[in-house]
Amino acid sequence: MEPILPPYSIQTPIYITPPSSPHFRESSLSPSPPLSVCSESFISLVPHCSCKDKKIERQRERNIVRERERSTILTKMELPRFVIGAAEAESMAKEAGLTSLVQLLPILVASAQKLARPPISNYHVGAVGLSSDGRIFLGVNLEFPNLPLHHSVHAEQFLFNNAAANSAPDLRFLAVSSAPCGHCRQFLQEIRNSTDLQLLITDNQNDSNFKPLSQFIPHPFGPNDLLHKDTPLLLEPHDNGLILDFNLSNGYTRDNPNLENSALQAANGSHAPYSGCPSGVALMDCEGKIYRGSYMESAAYNPSLGPLQAAVVAYVAGGGGGYEKIVEAVLVEKTGAKVRQEDTTRLLLRLISPQCAFRVVHCGCPSSVCRKASNLCE
């Protein structure tokens, strides 16, 4: 190969053979074909820091900072917890060097996933939501062995139930470990102005931006299609006006009035505008602690969350251990309800806590309250 000479000045060719080349180690008796470059090309081969190198270095530094921030936050989340108060959330974000609470949500998703209980799928899902009052709520998926899969609780349902139980006014931002399934996208429709809810899927490394729910469910069917505009939606105050009716309880005696009153309170806070059949469950563990859950309906019916599942969410979020520690349960539901929870609740309880004592107390409501509730559904 003829050497390429520069068009000016030095007429001596420059030969460069990379040390890593196999020809470099061969005997001089069999020289490799020389690589010839002009002096200008030689200059370009001198090591220097390119723009690409600078970008890589800046990215590496950002990753180090992120890991430091993540470590600071995760240290505070070593103990199981499902609610972070506004002041503490602000402090956590500040200590981690974050500029907003929204940036805290995806960092907390991994902590939420560790709290999931999916013994069937072993697929841990975590969800973290931010309310307008500055509080942060966590949600996880729950699965129950020996029961049909539709009894499972999805992480987004857990989160919304957790927020409702703690009187959150709304949820503005939601970060989830995996893309919400169709079941959950439908359930998310039950809040006011749901299309404005901002979602982030943390397992999508190519997109770290929150997007409105309207992009995840472009042609929604929800409360606006079935309910009067004044009907309270999920996360809004509910008062179903129910009262206990012991005349319909077949000789039932009030062995644990605190548990019954708690179940009644849950039933009065139940979101059941589609069936008009609110209900609530209260659980008591072996330490005497009480956990209550309200039945939550969906406009599409199937994503509805039963009152026992809601109470189990409260049990898990409240630091409850194994389900076998649940020793007593009371269900409150309306007399002659078209949607009855008794049989399903009894089945689920028998399998997760076989020794649990279970009772049903029926309730009614003053006729004026019942008429008002009926009118809201028209």
Side-chain angles (χ1 to χ4, degrees):
M1 182 178 68
E2 291 295 328
I4 301 174
L5 299 179
Y8 59 89
S9 181
I10 304 172
Q11 298 300 314
T12 304
I14 301 172
Y15 298 94
I16 298 176
T17 302
S20 60
S21 169
H23 299 296
F24 184 82
R25 295 187 295 272
E26 293 180 356
S27 166
S28 59
L29 295 178
S30 57
S32 62
L35 171 64
S36 302
V37 297
C38 67
S39 57
E40 287 183 336
S41 300
F42 178 73
I43 293 174
S44 67
L45 295 174
V46 176
H48 64 283
C49 185
S50 67
C51 293
K52 183 177 180 180
D53 293 334
K54 290 180 180 179
K55 288 182 180 179
I56 294 174
E57 180 61 23
R58 284 197 297 269
Q59 184 61 47
R60 189 181 70 85
E61 292 174 353
R62 282 196 293 267
N63 290 340
I64 292 174
V65 171
R66 287 198 188 101
E67 286 304 315
R68 190 181 300 121
E69 295 169 352
R70 188 182 299 272
S71 178
T72 300
I73 295 169
L74 295 184
T75 298
K76 294 178 177 288
M77 296 295 294
E78 288 180 352
L79 295 176
R81 54 195 309 195
F82 289 87
V83 181
I84 302 174
E88 184 179 3
E90 194 73 40
S91 175
M92 291 172 67
K94 185 177 180 181
E95 289 181 21
L98 305 177
T99 57
S100 73
L101 289 177
V102 175
Q103 295 174 321
L104 193 57
L105 303 187
I107 298 176
L108 293 172
V109 167
S111 295
Q113 285 180 274
K114 294 178 181 178
L115 301 174
R117 300 187 182 187
I120 300 173
S121 68
N122 291 317
Y123 188 76
H124 292 66
V125 182
V128 183
L130 175 64
S131 174
S132 61
D133 63 9
R135 287 183 293 168
I136 293 176
F137 300 93
L138 277 65
V140 300
N141 59 320
L142 306 176
E143 297 169 357
F144 307 104
N146 304 316
L147 282 167
L149 293 178
H150 69 263
H151 289 290
S152 302
V153 178
H154 295 225
E156 292 87 343
Q157 287 180 311
F158 188 118
L159 188 151
F160 270 73
N161 186 84
N162 186 22
N166 287 279
S167 302
D170 52 32
L171 284 173
R172 298 290 182 83
F173 294 87
L174 175 63
V176 292
S177 58
S178 303
C181 66
H183 182 105
C184 290
R185 297 183 197 202
Q186 180 63 51
F187 193 79
L188 297 178
Q189 295 288 319
E190 290 301 316
I191 63 173
R192 188 80 59 186
N193 301 318
S194 61
T195 55
D196 295 331
L197 176 65
Q198 301 292 312
L199 270 67
L200 172 66
I201 303 170
T202 61
D203 69 356
N204 185 356
Q205 301 297 328
N206 298 321
D207 192 350
S208 59
N209 297 316
F210 282 84
K211 296 180 179 179
L213 179 61
S214 57
Q215 291 194 22
F216 293 86
I217 182 167
H219 304 292
F221 173 83
N224 293 337
D225 297 292
L226 298 177
L227 303 178
H228 188 277
K229 60 184 178 66
D230 295 330
T231 305
L233 299 184
L234 197 60
L235 299 184
E236 295 179 346
H238 287 65
D239 184 5
N240 294 312
L242 303 175
I243 56 174
L244 297 180
D245 191 348
F246 292 103
N247 293 326
L248 297 172
S249 298
N250 298 321
Y252 177 83
T253 58
R254 301 198 69 180
D255 295 330
N256 194 336
N258 289 336
L259 200 61
E260 295 147 11
N261 290 334
S262 184
L264 176 64
Q265 186 176 355
N268 274 320
S270 173
H271 175 67
Y274 308 106
S275 69
C277 302
S279 59
V281 165
L283 305 174
M284 188 175 72
D285 66 12
C286 55
E287 297 178 0
K289 296 179 181 179
I290 294 177
Y291 312 86
R292 66 174 180 266
S294 302
Y295 173 50
M296 293 181 176
E297 287 186 340
S298 161
Y301 285 23
N302 282 345
S304 300
L305 184 68
L308 178 57
Q309 283 91 332
V312 170
V313 165
Y315 175 75
V316 174
Y323 301 134
E324 73 281 355
K325 293 183 179 180
I326 299 172
V327 297
E328 193 171 353
V330 170
L331 164 69
V332 168
E333 63 180 348
K334 289 174 66 175
T335 305
K338 294 180 181 178
V339 177
R340 296 176 63 244
Q341 306 291 340
E342 179 177 351
D343 294 336
T344 302
T345 303
R346 192 182 302 278
L347 170 65
L348 181 53
L349 270 176
R350 188 172 70 244
L351 291 173
I352 68 172
S353 184
Q355 304 303 315
C356 178
F358 174 58
R359 302 191 305 278
V360 180
V361 180
H362 293 106
C363 64
C365 63
S367 57
S368 59
V369 175
C370 290
R371 282 197 299 271
K372 181 180 178 181
S374 176
N375 291 336
L376 289 176
C377 294
E378 293 178 355

